[in-house]
Amino acid sequence: TSYSGTYSIPDGIETVAGGAFNGCSGLTSVTIPNSVTSIGRHAFAYCSGLTSVNIPNSVTSIGSHAFAYCSGLTSVNIPNSVTSIGSFAFYGCNNLQYIVYGGSAIGSPWGANCSVCAAKEGLLLFSDVEKTQLVKCLTEATGNLTIPNSVTSIGNSAFSNCSGLTSVTIPNSVTSIGSNAFLGCTGLTNVKINDISVWCGISFSDDASNPLSYAHNLYLNGTKVTDLIIPDGVMSIRNYAFYDCTGLTSVVIGNSVTTIGNNAFSKCSGLTSVTIHNSVTSIGDWAFWSCSGLTSVIIPDGVTRIGNWAFNSCSGLTSVTIPNSVTSIGTYSFSGCSGLQNIFLQSAIPPNIRTKYESCGKEYFTSTTIPIYVPFQSVDEYLSSNCWGRYNIQSSLAVEKVLAPTSVVMTLDDMYSANDDVDIVSVGVDGGEMIEGNTMEYIGLEPESEYADVPIAILLSSGDVVKTSVSFTTTALTLNTLPSKAVSSNTAILLAETNISDSEVSCGFEWKRNDAPDDMAGTMVYCPVANGMMAGRLKGLKDDVYYKYRAFYKSSAGNMHYGSWQYIFTGDNAVEFDPVLYTYAASSVSESGATLRGYALAGSDDFTEQGFEYWIDSRVDNLQEAASAQLRAPVANAEHHRVQATGIAMKVGITGLDEGTVYKYRTYAKIGQQTVYGAEMSFTTKGVWIEPTALEGVEADEASLKPRKVIENGRVIILMPDGRKYDVTGRALGK
């Protein structure tokens, strides 16, 4: 039957049959009696002239497509009695402005294409005892949608293709968002929340269910989130939590998080920095996939599994360190990282990269030629593995050698961190002197000599001692004896040019009377070297006598090397000449100490006192920028301390220094009431300076407690004597 105009369904009818008014385009208004309990499928479909419909409280179900393509409808009032709304019930109702409904119907009344919401708003949902479902379409001129606090879940395809939706506010009550919930919301620009902790716990069915896939920007209490801090208390970052949130630039994951879910930060292309606390044990599949702006990431100790594709296509990564806690690395985990230049594997036991389908799984890294550095004691074990053996396995131990004619400076670095994780215990040559924990200088070597496979004993941070070897060849020796600087009746200053290291102690001058027999041994005077010059002082010479002298070097094996002879005549005159003081660079600098070296060569008059003077210059407030004067806090009127030394070549150790502090120092000597000085030098103690009272929760009476700066999980922290920890801003981290 064709219906038109206004029509009232007779009382007593219980069901509006499926298709009963289908295609009645002339129907403008319909009244449904209280006897009707259900409206069938397609009952009013294509009634394009229908402008209003009154659904009574007796109706409990509305069938699929019941009002589809009723393009004249502008509003619908659905009573709370309705418990079931079929798929596409209002599909194609392009002029529908709102639906008023407070019930608990389950369904997707607009179907997969929410065209009714185009250029309007989206859908609201109301809750019932068991389930919450989207069922209301509102119109607001701002294009914003605020979901009420009663909502606990957002259903599948709920806002699908709502291209007019520009902003959505999601309350703390929402715990799950269904598949494709925001698919095609191309106008969406931001998502508003008021609790990051709650957002991390929402269950997203897929990437298209997360509105960030289209909005790209997250707002927390009205402020755009670029530097994301996952607060303490969050245990897990759920799957897709920040998927495609390109507005993020940095992420700090709190110390309670144990799991980073699948796709948690996928496609966050603006992300450049990620800090992961060592509480995290698992990084899920695709967790940081296509984070192309990420240039570095520290995977903390404690992580045991890196998921499939976890860092795939992170093209900005240049280096990655995988800690020894990782036992499993997923398929394609670092494939597509085109900028990756090296990989560091800290585990002595090769992590598992096998799958149950293939003997060695698939490709895990962009190229098999990228250097993969592994613990030097485990190289053979990696190479013998069928899986790891196909990659470019290299020893993690780097031995940097600075060669001189009579010495070599060796610095060992396990290439994993700045913590000096390897210390030299001994080297198979004599003459070693510690400079730093992992640096030693060996003097007394033979010039132009090859030292092959010299054994080195190395102390690991684990406490184990392992052995390796190095080879090197010393360079040619220069000993050029120069004319004396000054001569008086009984004193002379002797000089020589040399390329011997400043650290050398087995060098100086041999001297004797010019008329002494050639086979008569001369007197040996040991002298220091500074900047390629060797200087010595002879006293007690006789008047009117010719003397000859030459520079010498004596190796630890007892072999002698000489320069040419030079000659002096003491005469009968009195010549006065000034003392010479030289200050060397500090060595063995730690958090609280350093070794100072220099020489003090007296002139015409002897010294009555000599040594080193040091004082505080400024504080370093930031470990990463320790060389920047702008980040130093000058210390005015600092007390000058002196420590005495003897001999021409002086060396002292000083202790009790402050961490993260710039010290200045110089050699000094007294001649009667006069004090003369060498050049000023400076060094910076390790760590970061911070006043104890600047730490959160530290009382005034605790200000005398000396905090220590240590590196934990790749970042600097402040450690109090009682175990309390703080970040460098003074914020408490807990024990």
Side-chain angles (χ1 to χ4, degrees):
T1 304
S2 178
Y3 297 92
S4 62
T6 299
Y7 181 76
S8 296
I9 296 175
D11 290 339
I13 299 295
E14 295 182 357
T15 299
V16 179
F21 297 91
N22 190 321
C24 295
S25 58
L27 188 65
T28 59
S29 174
V30 63
T31 299
I32 302 173
N34 288 332
S35 58
V36 173
T37 59
S38 65
I39 299 174
R41 300 172 65 251
H42 297 271
F44 295 94
Y46 293 97
C47 293
S48 57
L50 191 63
T51 59
S52 66
V53 61
N54 182 31
I55 301 174
N57 292 332
S58 58
V59 174
T60 60
S61 67
I62 298 174
S64 63
H65 295 83
F67 294 91
Y69 293 103
C70 291
S71 56
L73 279 179
T74 59
S75 66
V76 174
N77 189 347
I78 301 176
N80 294 353
S81 58
V82 174
T83 58
S84 174
I85 301 177
S87 300
F88 300 93
F90 295 91
Y91 182 80
C93 298
N94 294 331
N95 290 308
L96 192 60
Q97 298 296 303
Y98 62 89
I99 291 178
V100 178
Y101 175 68
S104 59
I106 298 174
S108 182
W110 293 278
N113 184 352
C114 187
S115 59
V116 65
C117 296
K120 300 184 177 66
E121 290 314 306
L123 309 174
L124 281 182
L125 53 159
F126 293 82
S127 63
D128 65 349
V129 176
E130 297 181 356
K131 183 167 182 175
T132 302
Q133 182 60 38
L134 291 166
V135 292
K136 184 179 180 184
C137 186
L138 295 180
T139 299
E140 296 179 11
T142 60
N144 299 326
L145 170 66
T146 298
I147 297 174
N149 290 329
S150 58
V151 173
T152 61
S153 69
I154 299 175
N156 297 342
S157 303
F159 295 91
S160 178
N161 290 316
C162 291
S163 59
L165 189 60
T166 59
S167 174
V168 60
T169 300
I170 297 178
N172 291 347
S173 55
V174 172
T175 59
S176 66
I177 298 179
S179 179
N180 296 319
F182 291 89
L183 178 66
C185 293
T186 55
L188 197 58
T189 58
N190 63 69
V191 175
K192 299 176 182 178
I193 62 172
N194 56 22
D195 193 332
I196 288 288
S197 301
V198 173
W199 183 261
C200 289
I202 292 178
S203 175
F204 295 97
S205 297
D206 52 41
D207 59 329
S209 70
N210 191 334
L212 289 174
S213 300
Y214 299 92
H216 306 305
N217 295 310
L218 188 67
Y219 284 77
L220 178 64
N221 295 318
T223 301
K224 182 179 176 179
V225 178
T226 55
D227 301 312
L228 173 65
I229 298 177
I230 306 297
D232 294 345
V234 175
M235 300 294 291
S236 175
I237 302 174
R238 299 287 290 272
N239 298 348
Y240 295 102
F242 299 95
Y243 183 90
D244 211 3
C245 189
T246 58
L248 288 182
T249 58
S250 72
V251 172
V252 176
I253 296 175
N255 59 12
S256 57
V257 174
T258 60
T259 303
I260 300 175
N262 299 341
N263 290 281
F265 295 95
S266 288
K267 297 180 69 176
C268 292
S269 57
L271 196 58
T272 60
S273 170
V274 174
T275 301
I276 306 174
H277 196 273
N278 57 11
S279 59
V280 173
T281 59
S282 177
I283 298 175
D285 297 346
W286 307 79
F288 294 93
W289 170 66
S290 282
C291 291
S292 55
L294 194 59
T295 57
S296 66
V297 62
I298 296 176
I299 300 172
D301 292 335
V303 171
T304 59
R305 175 185 178 270
I306 299 174
N308 301 323
W309 302 77
F311 294 93
N312 186 282
S313 298
C314 291
S315 56
L317 278 181
T318 58
S319 176
V320 64
T321 298
I322 300 174
N324 57 17
S325 56
V326 172
T327 58
S328 174
I329 300 175
T331 302
Y332 292 111
S333 49
F334 292 94
S335 183
C337 297
S338 56
L340 204 56
Q341 299 174 11
N342 44 55
I343 300 160
F344 302 102
L345 279 166
Q346 293 183 330
S347 177
I349 301 174
N352 178 35
I353 54 175
R354 294 177 181 269
T355 72
K356 63 182 179 181
Y357 303 108
E358 302 178 49
S359 60
C360 287
K362 299 181 180 179
E363 290 300 327
Y364 297 84
F365 306 103
T366 299
S367 169
T368 57
T369 63
I370 296 173
I372 299 179
Y373 296 96
V374 304
F376 55 90
Q377 67 271 30
S378 302
V379 170
D380 290 342
E381 186 172 357
Y382 274 86
L383 289 174
S384 63
S385 167
N386 290 331
C387 297
W388 288 107
R390 59 183 172 155
Y391 290 103
N392 184 14
I393 301 298
Q394 301 287 329
S395 170
S396 66
L397 182 68
V399 184
E400 181 181 350
K401 299 181 288 290
V402 179
L403 294 169
T406 68
S407 63
V408 59
V409 177
M410 286 187 288
T411 300
L412 304 190
D413 185 3
D414 70 353
M415 303 179 70
Y416 288 133
S417 71
N419 285 342
D420 295 337
D421 289 331
V422 290
D423 292 343
I424 299 177
V425 177
S426 66
V427 174
V429 292
D430 295 330
E433 177 182 345
M434 183 73 71
I435 296 178
E436 298 286 355
N438 65 341
T439 301
M440 294 190 84
E441 181 172 19
Y442 291 83
I443 58 179
L445 305 180
E446 293 291 342
E448 293 187 275
S449 296
E450 181 180 352
Y451 289 80
D453 298 323
V454 176
I456 299 180
I458 300 171
L459 175 65
L460 304 180
S461 56
S462 64
D464 297 327
V465 175
V466 297
K467 294 182 178 180
T468 185
S469 63
V470 295
S471 299
F472 56 88
T473 301
T474 54
T475 59
L477 173 64
T478 297
L479 278 177
N480 183 17
T481 313
L482 300 177
S484 62
K485 179 179 179 182
V487 178
S488 68
S489 59
N490 61 2
T491 304
I493 299 295
L494 309 184
L495 301 173
E497 289 179 334
T498 182
N499 57 357
I500 293 175
S501 165
D502 287 357
S503 300
E504 193 60 70
V505 294
S506 296
C507 58
F509 295 92
E510 178 190 19
W511 66 278
K512 58 185 176 181
R513 289 175 62 115
N514 188 44
D515 56 1
D518 290 340
D519 58 353
M520 176 182 171
T523 301
M524 298 293 190
V525 177
Y526 288 89
C527 302
V529 176
N531 264 3
M533 292 296 296
M534 184 162 54
R537 181 180 184 233
L538 294 183
K539 290 191 66 178
L541 303 177
K542 293 183 178 181
D543 293 343
D544 299 322
V545 175
Y546 281 97
Y547 292 91
K548 62 181 178 181
Y549 63 94
R550 60 180 175 178
F552 76 85
Y553 163 70
K554 183 180 180 180
S555 72
S556 58
N559 297 318
M560 299 298 298
H561 302 265
Y562 295 101
S564 59
W565 289 103
Q566 289 281 356
Y567 302 88
I568 56 175
F569 177 69
T570 56
D572 186 13
N573 58 346
V575 178
E576 292 188 1
F577 38 88
D578 296 328
V580 178
L581 278 75
Y582 191 88
T583 311
Y584 293 104
S587 62
S588 300
V589 179
S590 64
E591 290 83 355
S592 60
T595 297
L596 307 183
R597 295 176 60 250
Y599 79 72
L601 182 63
S604 303
D605 300 312
D606 291 336
F607 295 140
T608 56
E609 182 184 317
Q610 65 188 69
F612 297 89
E613 183 177 76
Y614 66 94
W615 63 97
I616 294 175
D617 176 65
S618 57
R619 307 291 195 192
V620 175
D621 298 322
N622 185 306
L623 183 65
Q624 304 303 321
E625 301 292 343
S628 174
Q630 289 77 11
L631 294 176
R632 298 176 183 169
V635 177
N637 302 317
E639 180 182 0
H640 285 227
H641 304 273
R642 283 183 176 177
V643 56
Q644 295 184 26
T646 59
I648 297 177
M650 301 186 298
K651 176 181 176 181
V652 298
I654 56 175
T655 58
L657 306 180
D658 292 336
E659 296 182 44
T661 300
V662 180
Y663 283 86
K664 285 190 174 180
Y665 66 100
R666 59 188 175 184
T667 51
Y668 81 93
K670 287 186 176 181
I671 308 169
Q673 298 300 313
Q674 180 188 8
T675 303
V676 292
Y677 298 98
E680 287 186 4
M681 301 282 283
S682 66
F683 64 87
T684 303
T685 52
K686 295 181 179 180
V688 177
W689 168 259
I690 187 168
E691 290 282 356
T693 51
L695 302 177
E696 180 180 273
V698 174
E699 302 294 337
D701 60 356
E702 296 181 273
S704 61
L705 296 176
K706 186 176 177 61
R708 273 194 320 121
K709 288 77 183 176
V710 299
I711 296 180
E712 180 181 276
N713 188 34
R715 65 172 178 169
V716 177
I717 68 167
I718 294 99
L719 180 64
M720 292 292 285
D722 61 1
R724 283 177 292 172
K725 298 177 182 178
Y726 301 84
D727 64 17
V728 291
T729 67
R731 184 173 66 92
L733 299 176
K735 293 186 178 181

